[in-house]
Amino acid sequence: MKSTLTSRGQTVVPAKIRRQFGLTPADGLEWLVEGTTIRVVPVRRDTVAAFRGQGKGGAVKRLLAERKVDRARE
C-alpha cells in the first residue's frame, strides 16, 4: 500500500491498515529510523492498557523499560 505526502508533510494511513490495527483518531504513530528504512508503529494513547494481554513473559515490563529510555532521551 502507498500514500503520498502533501506539501505540508502530511500523509493518510490507508483505511485497510487502520481497520487491521484498529487505529482511531486518538492514536498516534511513532516513526523509527533504522538505517535507510523508516518503520511506523502505532502508539495508543495509553500504551500499557493497549498492550495488556498481547504477550507473555515480561513483555509489559520490557515495554515500560523502553518507554523509560525514550523519556530519558527527550
Side-chain angles (χ1 to χ4, degrees), residues 6-8 11 18-20 22 24 31 35-36 38 44 48 51 57-58 62-63 72:
T6 67
S7 61
R8 294 181 56 197
T11 192
R18 291 192 314 265
R19 284 191 300 270
Q20 181 177 347
T24 67
W31 297 76
T36 60
I38 302 169
R44 306 280 184 223
V48 175
F51 193 70
R62 286 192 306 273
L63 174 66

Side-chain angles (χ1 to χ4, degrees), residues 20-37:
Q20 181 177 347
F21 291 93
L23 298 174
T24 67
D27 296 323
L29 298 173
E30 184 172 350
W31 297 76
L32 305 170
V33 177
E34 299 171 344
T36 60
T37 302

Side-chain angles (χ1 to χ4, degrees), residues 45-65:
R45 184 169 282 195
D46 181 355
T47 55
V48 175
F51 193 70
R52 188 168 284 128
Q54 298 297 314
K56 295 182 180 178
V60 172
K61 185 182 263 186
R62 286 192 306 273
L63 174 66
L64 291 174

